[in-house]
Amino acid sequence: RVGDRCVGLAADHLEPGVSVRNDQRLVKGDKDGPNLALNTYACVGNTALVLDGPCRGSKGVVTGKHGGVNHVLVDFPSTVLKKLRIGDNVQIYAHGIGLRFPDYPALSVYNCAPRLIQRWGLQARRSHLQVPVTHLLPAAIMGSGLGRDNAARGDYDIQLFDPDVRRQLKLDTLRFGDLVAILHADTRFGRAYHKGFMTIGIVVHGDSTVSGHGPGVVTLITGEARYLQPIRDNNANLAAILKLRRPRP
């Protein structure tokens, strides 16, 4: 679940909680259209509702999106996870696409529910926004997912193959749901290296042994670095921010 470690697990690209796709209806055009719509509109912090089965009426929270397989990831309490069945219908109340900061028009916001913004602990300063994060990452270690044409779907991966970088940046402490800052990363129109820019994102899936892959990050806020000031905070994790559970130390 969010709050647990995402590095060193005996799994590849592990997705926490529940993985959701929309494959239940066909439309004209792209056969994956309904699922791409779900991935575009769902935002981190949105409410998810179980519609049928033994957990009918139970509520969860969207925690991220995983590109390639195009899953939306949802966290539910452990008691609900034990009873959910494969095939149970989950409805997501999508809210947040098009969100903007009127006082910081140069910053772009993606995949972010208003209630996450309200509870994150962002601090408005005259010239910039202070943002609590757990880790500062250089864009040079970002891998799979680079070059995509938008940041409204999917993620891109933190490469953990260099032991010195891994140790210096304390990457072994990464958890599902950690909010992280990627320096010199511009994800306004896709994902690219761009000096003077910064991306704030959330860790959504686990580590990998595949070349160029690793824990995935979904964009939340991106723009010129002069408008963003990351502040280190070990509690800058979705599980703590939304009071879903206590994150691992």
Side-chain angles (χ1 to χ4, degrees), residues 63-114:
T63 64
K65 313 172 185 184
H66 188 178
V69 290
N70 295 327
H71 290 165
V72 172
L73 310 179
V74 182
D75 182 78
F76 287 98
S78 297
T79 53
V80 174
L81 289 174
K82 292 177 181 178
K83 296 179 181 178
L84 276 172
R85 308 173 306 182
I86 294 173
D88 284 347
N89 287 297
V90 175
Q91 179 165 294
I92 293 172
Y93 293 87
H95 185 205
I97 193 168
L99 186 67
R100 291 291 180 265
F101 297 137
D103 293 335
Y104 306 97
L107 297 178
S108 298
V109 186
Y110 294 96
N111 311 305
C112 201

Short mmCIF file of all heavy atoms in Angstrom, two decimals, residues 63-114:
data_model
loop_
_atom_site.label_atom_id
_atom_site.label_comp_id
_atom_site.label_asym_id
_atom_site.label_seq_id
_atom_site.Cartn_x
_atom_site.Cartn_y
_atom_site.Cartn_z
N THR A 63 -4.13 6.77 -6.19
CA THR A 63 -2.76 7.06 -5.76
C THR A 63 -1.79 7.25 -6.92
O THR A 63 -0.63 7.62 -6.69
CB THR A 63 -2.23 5.94 -4.86
OG1 THR A 63 -2.14 4.72 -5.62
CG2 THR A 63 -3.13 5.73 -3.66
N GLY A 64 -2.23 7.01 -8.15
CA GLY A 64 -1.32 7.20 -9.28
C GLY A 64 -1.80 6.50 -10.53
O GLY A 64 -2.90 5.93 -10.58
N LYS A 65 -0.95 6.56 -11.57
CA LYS A 65 -1.21 5.93 -12.85
C LYS A 65 0.08 5.26 -13.31
O LYS A 65 1.16 5.80 -13.08
CB LYS A 65 -1.64 6.97 -13.88
CG LYS A 65 -2.71 7.95 -13.41
CD LYS A 65 -2.94 9.06 -14.43
CE LYS A 65 -3.91 10.10 -13.91
NZ LYS A 65 -4.21 11.15 -14.92
N HIS A 66 -0.03 4.12 -13.98
CA HIS A 66 1.14 3.37 -14.44
C HIS A 66 1.08 3.28 -15.96
O HIS A 66 0.18 2.63 -16.51
CB HIS A 66 1.16 1.98 -13.80
CG HIS A 66 2.41 1.22 -14.07
ND1 HIS A 66 2.63 -0.03 -13.55
CD2 HIS A 66 3.53 1.52 -14.79
CE1 HIS A 66 3.81 -0.47 -13.95
NE2 HIS A 66 4.37 0.47 -14.71
N GLY A 67 2.02 3.95 -16.63
CA GLY A 67 2.05 3.94 -18.09
C GLY A 67 2.44 2.60 -18.66
O GLY A 67 2.98 1.73 -17.96
N GLY A 68 2.19 2.41 -19.93
CA GLY A 68 2.47 1.13 -20.59
C GLY A 68 1.31 0.18 -20.43
O GLY A 68 0.64 -0.16 -21.41
N VAL A 69 1.05 -0.23 -19.20
CA VAL A 69 -0.12 -1.08 -18.94
C VAL A 69 -1.37 -0.22 -18.77
O VAL A 69 -2.49 -0.74 -18.79
CB VAL A 69 0.10 -1.94 -17.68
CG1 VAL A 69 1.12 -3.01 -17.92
CG2 VAL A 69 0.49 -1.09 -16.48
N ASN A 70 -1.17 1.09 -18.57
CA ASN A 70 -2.27 2.05 -18.45
C ASN A 70 -3.26 1.68 -17.36
O ASN A 70 -4.47 1.59 -17.58
CB ASN A 70 -2.99 2.21 -19.80
CG ASN A 70 -2.09 2.81 -20.85
OD1 ASN A 70 -1.23 3.63 -20.55
ND2 ASN A 70 -2.28 2.40 -22.10
N HIS A 71 -2.73 1.47 -16.16
CA HIS A 71 -3.55 1.21 -14.99
C HIS A 71 -3.72 2.48 -14.17
O HIS A 71 -2.79 3.29 -14.06
CB HIS A 71 -2.90 0.16 -14.09
CG HIS A 71 -2.90 -1.21 -14.66
ND1 HIS A 71 -2.11 -2.22 -14.15
CD2 HIS A 71 -3.59 -1.77 -15.70
CE1 HIS A 71 -2.30 -3.33 -14.84
NE2 HIS A 71 -3.20 -3.07 -15.79
N VAL A 72 -4.89 2.65 -13.56
CA VAL A 72 -5.09 3.64 -12.51
C VAL A 72 -5.00 2.89 -11.19
O VAL A 72 -5.61 1.82 -11.02
CB VAL A 72 -6.46 4.35 -12.65
CG1 VAL A 72 -6.73 5.23 -11.43
CG2 VAL A 72 -6.48 5.19 -13.92
N LEU A 73 -4.22 3.42 -10.24
CA LEU A 73 -3.94 2.73 -8.98
C LEU A 73 -4.77 3.33 -7.86
O LEU A 73 -4.85 4.55 -7.71
CB LEU A 73 -2.45 2.82 -8.66
CG LEU A 73 -1.52 2.41 -9.81
CD1 LEU A 73 -0.06 2.56 -9.41
CD2 LEU A 73 -1.81 1.00 -10.28
N VAL A 74 -5.39 2.46 -7.07
CA VAL A 74 -6.31 2.90 -6.01
C VAL A 74 -5.95 2.22 -4.70
O VAL A 74 -5.71 1.00 -4.65
CB VAL A 74 -7.78 2.57 -6.38
CG1 VAL A 74 -8.72 3.08 -5.29
CG2 VAL A 74 -8.15 3.19 -7.72
N ASP A 75 -5.90 3.01 -3.63
CA ASP A 75 -5.65 2.46 -2.30
C ASP A 75 -6.96 2.29 -1.55
O ASP A 75 -7.81 3.19 -1.56
CB ASP A 75 -4.74 3.40 -1.50
CG ASP A 75 -4.41 2.85 -0.12
OD1 ASP A 75 -3.54 1.95 -0.04
OD2 ASP A 75 -5.02 3.29 0.88
N PHE A 76 -7.13 1.12 -0.93
CA PHE A 76 -8.25 0.84 -0.05
C PHE A 76 -7.71 0.38 1.30
O PHE A 76 -6.59 -0.13 1.37
CB PHE A 76 -9.14 -0.27 -0.63
CG PHE A 76 -9.98 0.13 -1.80
CD1 PHE A 76 -9.55 -0.15 -3.09
CD2 PHE A 76 -11.19 0.77 -1.63
CE1 PHE A 76 -10.32 0.20 -4.20
CE2 PHE A 76 -11.96 1.13 -2.73
CZ PHE A 76 -11.53 0.85 -4.02
N PRO A 77 -8.49 0.52 2.38
CA PRO A 77 -8.07 -0.05 3.66
C PRO A 77 -7.79 -1.55 3.53
O PRO A 77 -8.39 -2.23 2.68
CB PRO A 77 -9.28 0.22 4.57
CG PRO A 77 -9.97 1.40 3.95
CD PRO A 77 -9.77 1.23 2.47
N SER A 78 -6.90 -2.05 4.35
CA SER A 78 -6.49 -3.46 4.26
C SER A 78 -7.68 -4.40 4.42
O SER A 78 -7.73 -5.46 3.78
CB SER A 78 -5.43 -3.76 5.32
OG SER A 78 -4.27 -3.00 5.09
N THR A 79 -8.64 -4.05 5.26
CA THR A 79 -9.81 -4.92 5.45
C THR A 79 -10.61 -5.04 4.15
O THR A 79 -11.19 -6.10 3.87
CB THR A 79 -10.71 -4.37 6.56
OG1 THR A 79 -11.02 -2.99 6.28
CG2 THR A 79 -10.02 -4.46 7.92
N VAL A 80 -10.63 -3.97 3.36
CA VAL A 80 -11.34 -4.00 2.08
C VAL A 80 -10.53 -4.79 1.05
O VAL A 80 -11.08 -5.60 0.29
CB VAL A 80 -11.61 -2.57 1.57
CG1 VAL A 80 -12.22 -2.59 0.18
CG2 VAL A 80 -12.52 -1.83 2.56
N LEU A 81 -9.22 -4.58 1.03
CA LEU A 81 -8.36 -5.27 0.06
C LEU A 81 -8.49 -6.79 0.19
O LEU A 81 -8.43 -7.51 -0.80
CB LEU A 81 -6.90 -4.86 0.26
CG LEU A 81 -6.52 -3.44 -0.16
CD1 LEU A 81 -5.09 -3.13 0.24
CD2 LEU A 81 -6.70 -3.27 -1.66
N LYS A 82 -8.67 -7.28 1.40
CA LYS A 82 -8.77 -8.73 1.62
C LYS A 82 -10.06 -9.32 1.06
O LYS A 82 -10.12 -10.52 0.77
CB LYS A 82 -8.67 -9.03 3.12
CG LYS A 82 -7.30 -8.75 3.72
CD LYS A 82 -7.29 -9.01 5.21
CE LYS A 82 -5.92 -8.70 5.81
NZ LYS A 82 -5.90 -8.91 7.28
N LYS A 83 -11.07 -8.49 0.89
CA LYS A 83 -12.38 -8.99 0.45
C LYS A 83 -12.70 -8.67 -1.01
O LYS A 83 -13.61 -9.26 -1.59
CB LYS A 83 -13.49 -8.41 1.35
CG LYS A 83 -13.39 -8.84 2.80
CD LYS A 83 -14.51 -8.22 3.62
CE LYS A 83 -14.42 -8.62 5.08
NZ LYS A 83 -15.50 -7.97 5.89
N LEU A 84 -11.98 -7.71 -1.59
CA LEU A 84 -12.24 -7.36 -2.98
C LEU A 84 -12.03 -8.55 -3.90
O LEU A 84 -11.14 -9.37 -3.67
CB LEU A 84 -11.33 -6.21 -3.42
CG LEU A 84 -11.77 -4.78 -3.11
CD1 LEU A 84 -10.65 -3.81 -3.44
CD2 LEU A 84 -13.04 -4.41 -3.85
N ARG A 85 -12.81 -8.63 -4.96
CA ARG A 85 -12.70 -9.71 -5.94
C ARG A 85 -12.24 -9.14 -7.27
O ARG A 85 -12.58 -8.01 -7.63
CB ARG A 85 -14.04 -10.41 -6.13
CG ARG A 85 -14.71 -10.88 -4.85
CD ARG A 85 -16.11 -11.39 -5.12
NE ARG A 85 -16.92 -10.39 -5.84
CZ ARG A 85 -18.19 -10.58 -6.17
NH1 ARG A 85 -18.78 -11.73 -5.88
NH2 ARG A 85 -18.86 -9.64 -6.81
N ILE A 86 -11.48 -9.92 -8.02
CA ILE A 86 -11.14 -9.53 -9.38
C ILE A 86 -12.44 -9.40 -10.18
O ILE A 86 -13.27 -10.31 -10.17
CB ILE A 86 -10.21 -10.56 -10.03
CG1 ILE A 86 -8.86 -10.56 -9.31
CG2 ILE A 86 -10.03 -10.28 -11.51
CD1 ILE A 86 -7.92 -11.66 -9.77
N GLY A 87 -12.63 -8.27 -10.83
CA GLY A 87 -13.85 -8.04 -11.60
C GLY A 87 -14.86 -7.16 -10.90
O GLY A 87 -15.83 -6.72 -11.54
N ASP A 88 -14.67 -6.86 -9.61
CA ASP A 88 -15.57 -5.92 -8.94
C ASP A 88 -15.45 -4.55 -9.62
O ASP A 88 -14.36 -4.11 -9.98
CB ASP A 88 -15.21 -5.78 -7.46
CG ASP A 88 -15.66 -6.99 -6.63
OD1 ASP A 88 -16.45 -7.80 -7.15
OD2 ASP A 88 -15.21 -7.10 -5.48
N ASN A 89 -16.57 -3.88 -9.79
CA ASN A 89 -16.59 -2.58 -10.46
C ASN A 89 -16.22 -1.46 -9.48
O ASN A 89 -16.75 -1.40 -8.37
CB ASN A 89 -17.97 -2.31 -11.06
CG ASN A 89 -18.24 -3.17 -12.28
OD1 ASN A 89 -17.55 -3.04 -13.28
ND2 ASN A 89 -19.22 -4.05 -12.18
N VAL A 90 -15.34 -0.58 -9.94
CA VAL A 90 -14.91 0.57 -9.14
C VAL A 90 -15.18 1.84 -9.94
O VAL A 90 -14.79 1.95 -11.10
CB VAL A 90 -13.41 0.47 -8.79
CG1 VAL A 90 -12.95 1.74 -8.06
CG2 VAL A 90 -13.13 -0.77 -7.96
N GLN A 91 -15.87 2.78 -9.33
CA GLN A 91 -16.17 4.06 -9.98
C GLN A 91 -15.29 5.15 -9.39
O GLN A 91 -15.20 5.28 -8.16
CB GLN A 91 -17.65 4.42 -9.76
CG GLN A 91 -18.06 5.75 -10.38
CD GLN A 91 -19.57 5.87 -10.47
OE1 GLN A 91 -20.21 5.11 -11.20
NE2 GLN A 91 -20.14 6.79 -9.72
N ILE A 92 -14.63 5.92 -10.25
CA ILE A 92 -13.75 7.00 -9.81
C ILE A 92 -14.42 8.34 -10.08
O ILE A 92 -14.89 8.59 -11.19
CB ILE A 92 -12.39 6.92 -10.52
CG1 ILE A 92 -11.65 5.66 -10.06
CG2 ILE A 92 -11.54 8.17 -10.23
CD1 ILE A 92 -10.39 5.37 -10.82
N TYR A 93 -14.45 9.18 -9.08
CA TYR A 93 -15.02 10.52 -9.22
C TYR A 93 -13.89 11.47 -9.63
O TYR A 93 -13.22 12.05 -8.79
CB TYR A 93 -15.69 10.94 -7.91
CG TYR A 93 -16.90 10.11 -7.59
CD1 TYR A 93 -16.78 8.91 -6.89
CD2 TYR A 93 -18.17 10.49 -8.03
CE1 TYR A 93 -17.89 8.12 -6.62
CE2 TYR A 93 -19.28 9.70 -7.77
CZ TYR A 93 -19.14 8.52 -7.07
OH TYR A 93 -20.23 7.74 -6.81
N ALA A 94 -13.70 11.58 -10.95
CA ALA A 94 -12.58 12.35 -11.50
C ALA A 94 -12.78 13.84 -11.25
O ALA A 94 -13.82 14.40 -11.59
CB ALA A 94 -12.44 12.08 -12.99
N HIS A 95 -11.77 14.47 -10.66
CA HIS A 95 -11.86 15.88 -10.30
C HIS A 95 -10.44 16.43 -10.20
O HIS A 95 -9.63 15.89 -9.45
CB HIS A 95 -12.57 16.01 -8.94
CG HIS A 95 -12.83 17.43 -8.52
ND1 HIS A 95 -12.96 17.80 -7.20
CD2 HIS A 95 -12.95 18.56 -9.25
CE1 HIS A 95 -13.17 19.10 -7.13
NE2 HIS A 95 -13.17 19.58 -8.35
N GLY A 96 -10.14 17.44 -11.00
CA GLY A 96 -8.82 18.05 -10.89
C GLY A 96 -8.18 18.42 -12.21
O GLY A 96 -7.27 19.25 -12.25
N ILE A 97 -8.63 17.82 -13.33
CA ILE A 97 -8.02 18.15 -14.60
C ILE A 97 -8.29 19.62 -14.94
O ILE A 97 -9.39 20.13 -14.75
CB ILE A 97 -8.53 17.22 -15.72
CG1 ILE A 97 -7.66 17.36 -16.98
CG2 ILE A 97 -9.99 17.46 -16.03
CD1 ILE A 97 -7.91 16.28 -18.01
N GLY A 98 -7.25 20.33 -15.38
CA GLY A 98 -7.37 21.75 -15.67
C GLY A 98 -7.08 22.64 -14.47
O GLY A 98 -7.16 23.87 -14.59
N LEU A 99 -6.72 22.05 -13.32
CA LEU A 99 -6.42 22.83 -12.12
C LEU A 99 -5.25 23.78 -12.37
O LEU A 99 -4.27 23.41 -13.02
CB LEU A 99 -6.07 21.88 -10.98
CG LEU A 99 -5.87 22.47 -9.59
CD1 LEU A 99 -7.17 23.04 -9.04
CD2 LEU A 99 -5.34 21.39 -8.65
N ARG A 100 -5.35 25.01 -11.85
CA ARG A 100 -4.29 26.00 -12.00
C ARG A 100 -4.11 26.79 -10.71
O ARG A 100 -5.02 26.86 -9.89
CB ARG A 100 -4.63 26.98 -13.15
CG ARG A 100 -4.58 26.36 -14.53
CD ARG A 100 -3.16 26.01 -14.94
NE ARG A 100 -3.10 25.41 -16.27
CZ ARG A 100 -3.10 24.11 -16.50
NH1 ARG A 100 -3.20 23.26 -15.49
NH2 ARG A 100 -3.00 23.63 -17.72
N PHE A 101 -2.92 27.39 -10.55
CA PHE A 101 -2.64 28.30 -9.43
C PHE A 101 -2.71 29.73 -9.96
O PHE A 101 -1.79 30.18 -10.64
CB PHE A 101 -1.25 28.03 -8.85
CG PHE A 101 -1.07 26.67 -8.26
CD1 PHE A 101 0.10 25.96 -8.52
CD2 PHE A 101 -2.03 26.09 -7.47
CE1 PHE A 101 0.30 24.70 -7.97
CE2 PHE A 101 -1.86 24.84 -6.92
CZ PHE A 101 -0.69 24.13 -7.17
N PRO A 102 -3.77 30.49 -9.69
CA PRO A 102 -3.89 31.84 -10.23
C PRO A 102 -2.71 32.75 -9.86
O PRO A 102 -2.34 33.63 -10.65
CB PRO A 102 -5.20 32.35 -9.61
CG PRO A 102 -5.98 31.12 -9.30
CD PRO A 102 -4.97 30.09 -8.91
N ASP A 103 -2.13 32.56 -8.68
CA ASP A 103 -1.02 33.41 -8.25
C ASP A 103 0.31 32.99 -8.87
O ASP A 103 1.30 33.73 -8.76
CB ASP A 103 -0.90 33.40 -6.73
CG ASP A 103 -2.10 34.05 -6.05
OD1 ASP A 103 -2.75 34.90 -6.71
OD2 ASP A 103 -2.39 33.72 -4.89
N TYR A 104 0.35 31.80 -9.48
CA TYR A 104 1.58 31.30 -10.10
C TYR A 104 1.24 30.75 -11.50
O TYR A 104 1.28 29.54 -11.73
CB TYR A 104 2.23 30.22 -9.24
CG TYR A 104 2.48 30.66 -7.81
CD1 TYR A 104 1.57 30.35 -6.81
CD2 TYR A 104 3.60 31.41 -7.49
CE1 TYR A 104 1.78 30.77 -5.50
CE2 TYR A 104 3.82 31.84 -6.18
CZ TYR A 104 2.90 31.51 -5.20
OH TYR A 104 3.11 31.94 -3.91
N PRO A 105 0.88 31.63 -12.43
CA PRO A 105 0.42 31.18 -13.75
C PRO A 105 1.47 30.44 -14.56
O PRO A 105 1.13 29.73 -15.51
CB PRO A 105 0.01 32.49 -14.44
CG PRO A 105 0.80 33.55 -13.74
CD PRO A 105 0.90 33.10 -12.32
N ALA A 106 2.75 30.56 -14.19
CA ALA A 106 3.82 29.87 -14.93
C ALA A 106 3.92 28.40 -14.54
O ALA A 106 4.64 27.64 -15.19
CB ALA A 106 5.16 30.57 -14.70
N LEU A 107 3.23 28.01 -13.47
CA LEU A 107 3.27 26.61 -13.03
C LEU A 107 2.10 25.84 -13.62
O LEU A 107 0.96 26.34 -13.65
CB LEU A 107 3.22 26.52 -11.51
CG LEU A 107 4.40 27.14 -10.75
CD1 LEU A 107 4.19 27.01 -9.24
CD2 LEU A 107 5.72 26.48 -11.16
N SER A 108 2.36 24.62 -14.09
CA SER A 108 1.32 23.75 -14.63
C SER A 108 1.04 22.63 -13.64
O SER A 108 1.96 22.09 -13.02
CB SER A 108 1.76 23.15 -15.97
OG SER A 108 1.97 24.16 -16.93
N VAL A 109 -0.23 22.29 -13.49
CA VAL A 109 -0.65 21.24 -12.56
C VAL A 109 -1.29 20.11 -13.34
O VAL A 109 -2.15 20.34 -14.19
CB VAL A 109 -1.64 21.80 -11.51
CG1 VAL A 109 -1.96 20.74 -10.46
CG2 VAL A 109 -1.08 23.05 -10.86
N TYR A 110 -0.87 18.88 -13.04
CA TYR A 110 -1.42 17.70 -13.70
C TYR A 110 -1.75 16.63 -12.66
O TYR A 110 -1.08 16.51 -11.63
CB TYR A 110 -0.41 17.10 -14.69
CG TYR A 110 -0.08 17.97 -15.88
CD1 TYR A 110 1.04 18.79 -15.87
CD2 TYR A 110 -0.89 17.97 -17.02
CE1 TYR A 110 1.35 19.59 -16.97
CE2 TYR A 110 -0.59 18.77 -18.11
CZ TYR A 110 0.53 19.57 -18.09
OH TYR A 110 0.83 20.36 -19.16
N ASN A 111 -2.77 15.84 -12.96
CA ASN A 111 -3.04 14.60 -12.20
C ASN A 111 -3.25 14.84 -10.71
O ASN A 111 -3.00 13.96 -9.89
CB ASN A 111 -1.87 13.62 -12.37
CG ASN A 111 -1.47 13.42 -13.81
OD1 ASN A 111 -2.30 13.08 -14.65
ND2 ASN A 111 -0.20 13.65 -14.11
N CYS A 112 -3.72 16.01 -10.33
CA CYS A 112 -3.73 16.40 -8.92
C CYS A 112 -5.13 16.82 -8.49
O CYS A 112 -5.67 17.80 -9.00
CB CYS A 112 -2.74 17.54 -8.71
SG CYS A 112 -2.20 17.71 -7.01
N ALA A 113 -5.72 16.09 -7.53
CA ALA A 113 -7.03 16.45 -7.01
C ALA A 113 -6.93 17.67 -6.11
O ALA A 113 -5.94 17.85 -5.40
CB ALA A 113 -7.62 15.28 -6.23
N PRO A 114 -7.95 18.53 -6.10
CA PRO A 114 -7.92 19.71 -5.23
C PRO A 114 -7.68 19.37 -3.76
O PRO A 114 -7.00 20.12 -3.06
CB PRO A 114 -9.30 20.33 -5.44
CG PRO A 114 -9.68 19.93 -6.83
CD PRO A 114 -9.12 18.54 -6.99
#
